[in-house]
Amino acid sequence: MIDFNAISNRSRREAVEQLFHFLCNPGRFSILILGKPGVGKSHWVRQIQPHICDKVSCAQGICEANLRTVEPSREAWTNIFREADGCILIIKELEHIKRHDVLLFEALSTTDGTFGFSTKERFEFRVVFTSSYSIDSLRKTEELVSHRLFDRIAQLVVELPSLREVNLGIWEDFQASWVKMKFAEKNDLPGGTLRMWLEKEHKDFLHGNFRDLDKIAILWHQFRLMGLGEEKILPKVQEQLTKFSAYPEQRTELGDVFYFQEGKPWKALEAAFKAALKQWAINVYGTARKAERALEMGKRTLDRW
């Protein structure tokens, strides 16, 4: 049994525990895991799977498929289903499902808990989808995924918080990354300087979540091997992380897209467009005044919108 109490942050602990119970569900309900890049969406499925394989028949292993690289054909998906038979199938990056929409809606339609394209060859597995997009971005239009398929995908939904969203426990998270690396030498945990930096400033640079923590551990150990003293390592790590290693902030919303709704008069559409543009501009530039200057608008124009 997983020791949930060992997960230091309460929000993450509750999300992981919820995911555990979703994966234990005896039905074939699809699971959707949401969360920013690098929060461990697939990682936690892999951590949970060994603890439920004796309880759930379709949890004997894990198979993964990325929607960006899979060919949208019956043959390709049948091969994936065949490999995933009896396992948990993780289908990554739901936001790229559009070209597979019709195929997966057909294949995941079930009356007996099995999946496939024909009655002659059926497969039994638990399907888990992951996405870095918010639930609103996925469901508010059919630009990314049809409503009918989304209803089938989002039967059980859990969201994992990012390290930027939770303030407590980041030092414990780094310690876990450090231990995971199993450095053969110079493997003493870094001192308080790194801890202070992580706890105070992580929101300014931590876009890759746990992947960034892994890279910080690797860089810190590398500079130790090069003979640098602990007091000189932090500036080197900061420089490397900022210039070369940190994952950039990834766009996971449709905030820069506006959809015109059929049937509305032009004045209503214009008002909706202005409101959307105002919100987008403030999000991008920080304040209405900065947005007006950047967009070369008159003073207080956005206020009237």
Side-chain angles (χ1 to χ4, degrees):
M1 180 68 175
I2 292 179
D3 181 9
F4 297 109
N5 291 325
I7 302 174
S8 56
N9 181 268
R10 178 181 177 182
S11 297
R12 188 181 308 121
R13 180 170 63 250
E14 291 177 349
V16 172
E17 188 169 4
Q18 186 178 48
L19 177 59
F20 174 87
H21 290 296
F22 285 174
L23 288 167
C24 286
N25 187 293
R28 296 291 182 269
F29 304 115
S30 297
I31 298 172
L32 172 59
I33 306 176
L34 302 173
K36 299 293 184 181
V39 298
K41 296 184 287 292
S42 298
H43 164 80
W44 282 112
V45 177
R46 290 193 292 269
Q47 293 297 305
I48 292 170
Q49 183 271 329
H51 298 276
I52 64 173
C53 61
D54 59 338
K55 301 177 183 179
V56 184
S57 60
C58 56
Q60 303 307 307
I62 291 178
C63 178
E64 298 187 16
N66 192 306
L67 287 164
R68 289 191 296 174
T69 58
V70 175
E71 178 188 350
S73 69
R74 288 189 173 202
E75 181 181 4
W77 279 109
T78 298
N79 289 335
I80 291 172
F81 295 162
R82 191 175 291 124
E83 182 182 352
D85 197 23
C87 300
I88 297 173
L89 172 59
I90 302 176
I91 301 180
K92 295 183 174 181
E93 301 191 60
L94 172 61
E95 56 270 20
H96 297 288
I97 203 172
K98 191 66 175 180
R99 62 196 186 116
H100 304 273
D101 199 293
V102 175
L103 284 167
L104 286 180
F105 181 81
E106 177 186 354
L108 298 180
S109 299
T110 182
T111 57
D112 61 356
T114 62
F115 305 112
F117 295 101
S118 71
T119 57
K120 294 181 179 180
E121 190 175 18
R122 305 294 292 177
F123 307 98
E124 181 182 354
F125 53 82
R126 166 82 71 188
V127 61
V128 176
F129 290 88
T130 70
S131 180
S132 299
Y133 279 50
S134 71
I135 194 75
D136 286 340
S137 294
L138 294 169
R139 70 183 177 186
K140 68 182 179 181
T141 74
E142 293 190 284
E143 183 71 15
L144 298 175
V145 54
S146 69
H147 293 323
R148 65 173 191 168
L149 180 59
F150 187 75
D151 285 342
R152 186 151 293 167
I153 286 170
Q155 293 170 322
L156 298 170
V157 182
V158 61
E159 184 170 13
L160 294 171
S162 72
L163 293 176
R164 302 182 78 190
E165 295 168 326
V166 294
N167 297 321
L168 300 176
I170 191 169
W171 181 244
E172 287 80 3
D173 291 330
F174 175 77
Q175 290 181 76
S177 288
W178 184 269
V179 171
K180 179 181 67 177
M181 293 300 167
K182 297 180 181 179
F183 297 122
E185 55 181 300
K186 297 185 182 294
N187 62 350
D188 293 338
L189 189 70
T193 304
L194 176 61
R195 179 174 183 171
M196 290 175 59
W197 178 62
L198 284 174
E199 293 180 339
K200 183 180 179 181
E201 301 184 33
H202 73 275
K203 289 186 177 181
D204 295 330
F205 71 89
L206 211 59
H207 303 310
N209 290 290
F210 289 101
R211 287 190 289 248
D212 278 340
L213 293 183
D214 288 347
K215 289 189 175 184
I216 291 171
I218 293 169
L219 286 168
W220 199 280
H221 184 254
Q222 177 59 50
F223 287 123
R224 277 183 174 177
L225 294 178
M226 294 167 61
L228 270 66
E230 297 291 292
E231 73 283 354
K232 295 182 179 180
I233 292 180
L234 182 58
K236 290 287 188 180
V237 169
Q238 291 171 326
E239 180 184 17
Q240 286 282 320
L241 190 69
T242 302
K243 284 186 176 181
F244 310 118
S245 298
Y247 279 74
E249 183 72 66
Q250 297 192 33
R251 298 190 68 84
T252 58
E253 305 295 333
L254 296 177
D256 53 355
V257 177
F258 180 80
Y259 291 95
F260 293 95
Q261 294 180 303
E262 185 178 358
K264 286 191 174 183
W266 74 268
K267 288 202 171 189
L269 290 172
E270 181 185 48
F273 175 77
K274 285 182 176 180
L277 176 57
K278 175 180 179 178
Q279 188 60 55
W280 172 84
I282 293 174
N283 288 342
V284 170
Y285 297 108
T287 67
R289 303 290 83 79
K290 291 179 180 179
E292 286 170 342
R293 289 194 294 270
L295 298 175
E296 300 180 5
M297 302 174 72
K299 288 185 176 180
R300 306 293 176 182
T301 299
L302 284 182
D303 288 343
R304 295 192 294 272
W305 287 9

